[in-house]
């Protein structure tokens, strides 16, 4: 800005060009913040962000930039869902669930990862276009968890430790006052387009691709773009693609279709 490089490029060298800011992950959030600085000088500016962090902006900043900012999020990507609030909620839910489990945790994880008869469990989806086995695994896991939670152990050493931990955390949040993380909600910016997984191909070719790429490719999956609100991604979804859905090549492949 001090050297006037953008002005020289866009006003003198390429007057017919318009400014576009493009970024992925943290870069997407930075581009949106930068757009607020440059918008008055370049009113036709546009921002395209891919998987920005969920803790990027306040509600007003995240929504006021919708006219010039478009954000893309692929399925269960964890990064646009990340915030202190979401992480604290996930931590509390996991601790509470563990405190309520009375049977072997191995049985839950076995169903979650392996499914029936040694097949892939519900975390990895079905092996083809037929989702019957996948639904059976989900039913099995739901049945196990419901059975576990029906009889809640109210007074165990672990449950007392969890309650003591949560009380300490609540006291610390109250001590922080207005800086309490639960009172400061942040959101991903712009007009949000969520690419939702709606199907999967069958066949050996698709399974071979998943094997070769260690399930990091989205080849063979079907996604549908859906407009969502900036506060819709307020929960961390734990599954097998929560990390790989953040890869820029996966988003690129879907947007090229």
């Amino acid at each position: 800005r001090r050297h006037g490089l953008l002005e020289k490029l866009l006003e003198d060298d390429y007057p017919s060009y318009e400014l576009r800011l493009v970024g992925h992950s943290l870069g997407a959030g930075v581009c949106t913040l930068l757009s607020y600085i440059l918008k008055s000088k370049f009113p036709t500016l546009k921002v395209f962000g891919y998987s920005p962090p969920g803790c990027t902006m306040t509600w007003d900043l995240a929504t006021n930039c919708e006219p010039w900012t478009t954000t893309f999020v692929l399925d269960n990507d964890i990064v646009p869902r990340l915030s202190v609030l979401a992480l604290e909620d996930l931590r509390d839910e996991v601790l509470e669930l563990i405190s309520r489990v009375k049977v072997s945790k191995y049985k839950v994880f076995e169903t979650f990862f392996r499914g029936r008869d040694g097949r892939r469990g519900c975390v990895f989806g079905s092996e083809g276009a037929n989702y019957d086995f996948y639904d059976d695994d989900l039913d099995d896991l739901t049945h196990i968890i419901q059975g576990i939670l029906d009889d809640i152990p109210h007074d165990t050493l672990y449950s007392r430790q969890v309650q003591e931990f949560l009380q300490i955390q609540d006291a610390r949040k109250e001590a922080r006052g207005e800086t309490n993380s639960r009172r400061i909600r942040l959101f991903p910016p712009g007009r949000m387009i969520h690419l939702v997984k709606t199907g999967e191909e069958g066949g050996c070719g698709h399974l071979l691709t998943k094997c070769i790429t260690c399930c990091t490719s989205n080849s063979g999956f079907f996604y549908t773009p859906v407009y969502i609100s900036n506060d819709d991604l307020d929960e961390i979804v734990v599954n097998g693609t929560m990390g790989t859905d953040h890869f820029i090549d996966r988003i690129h492949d879907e947007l090229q279709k």
Side-chain angles (χ1 to χ4, degrees):
R1 189 173 183 179
R2 177 175 29 170
H3 299 288
L5 295 179
L6 283 177
E7 289 83 352
K8 182 178 184 304
L9 287 171
L10 294 174
E11 296 175 4
D12 299 335
D13 298 345
Y14 303 97
S16 62
Y17 280 44
E18 296 180 345
L19 182 60
R20 299 289 184 266
L21 302 179
V22 181
H24 171 251
S25 193
L26 182 59
V30 171
C31 285
T32 308
L33 291 171
L34 183 60
S35 72
Y36 273 102
I37 299 174
L38 300 176
K39 185 65 177 174
S40 60
K41 182 66 176 178
F42 304 98
T44 61
L45 175 151
K46 298 290 183 184
V47 177
F48 296 95
Y50 305 94
S51 303
C55 52
T56 303
M57 297 179 174
T58 62
W59 178 259
D60 288 342
L61 287 176
T63 55
N64 290 341
C65 64
E66 286 183 0
W68 70 84
T69 301
T70 303
T71 294
F72 298 89
V73 176
L74 182 62
D75 204 40
N76 295 313
D77 188 350
I78 186 176
V79 174
R81 305 170 187 272
L82 283 179
S83 67
V84 173
L85 178 60
L87 288 171
E88 287 181 344
D89 286 344
L90 178 62
R91 177 203 64 195
D92 294 347
E93 290 176 7
V94 170
L95 289 175
E96 181 185 4
L97 180 61
I98 294 175
S99 70
R100 299 169 72 183
V101 171
K102 295 184 68 176
V103 301
S104 171
K105 282 65 171 181
Y106 172 78
K107 186 63 177 177
V108 177
F109 283 104
E110 181 183 37
T111 304
F112 193 56
F113 286 100
R114 294 181 57 191
R116 294 180 178 177
D117 304 322
R119 295 181 293 99
R120 292 181 305 157
C122 59
V123 70
F124 294 114
S126 74
E127 295 187 0
N130 187 347
Y131 282 79
D132 291 342
F133 288 159
Y134 179 56
D135 292 337
D136 290 341
D137 290 335
L138 284 177
D139 291 340
D140 282 352
L141 183 60
T142 302
H143 178 73
I144 291 173
I145 293 178
Q146 289 297 334
I148 291 169
L149 300 183
D150 285 341
D151 186 16
I152 303 173
H154 295 285
D155 189 21
T156 65
L157 175 60
Y158 180 80
S159 62
R160 291 195 296 271
Q161 290 173 337
V162 169
Q163 290 304 316
E164 182 180 354
F165 170 78
L166 294 178
Q167 289 173 2
I168 292 173
Q169 294 302 313
D170 289 339
R172 289 177 176 175
K173 291 167 190 173
E174 290 300 324
R176 289 198 294 264
E178 291 302 318
T179 61
N180 187 338
S181 60
R182 288 188 179 274
R183 297 177 185 171
I184 303 176
R185 294 194 64 190
L186 299 176
F187 308 88
R191 182 175 56 173
M192 304 282 296
I193 299 178
H194 190 197
L195 302 175
V196 182
K197 186 186 296 181
T198 54
E200 180 180 357
E201 291 181 357
C204 296
H206 174 51
L207 294 177
L208 180 62
T209 300
K210 293 178 71 174
C211 180
I212 293 175
T213 61
C214 296
C215 296
T216 60
S217 170
N218 55 337
S219 175
F221 291 100
F222 304 111
Y223 295 85
T224 301
V226 179
Y227 283 110
I228 60 173
S229 175
N230 299 73
D231 59 351
D232 282 343
L233 303 178
D234 59 350
E235 254 186 358
I236 295 175
V237 178
V238 179
N239 70 4
T241 62
M242 59 189 291
T244 56
D245 281 343
H246 189 63
F247 292 176
I248 186 61
D249 62 305
R250 299 193 67 171
I251 303 176
H252 173 270
D253 290 346
E254 289 308 311
L255 295 179
Q256 288 295 312
K257 293 181 179 179

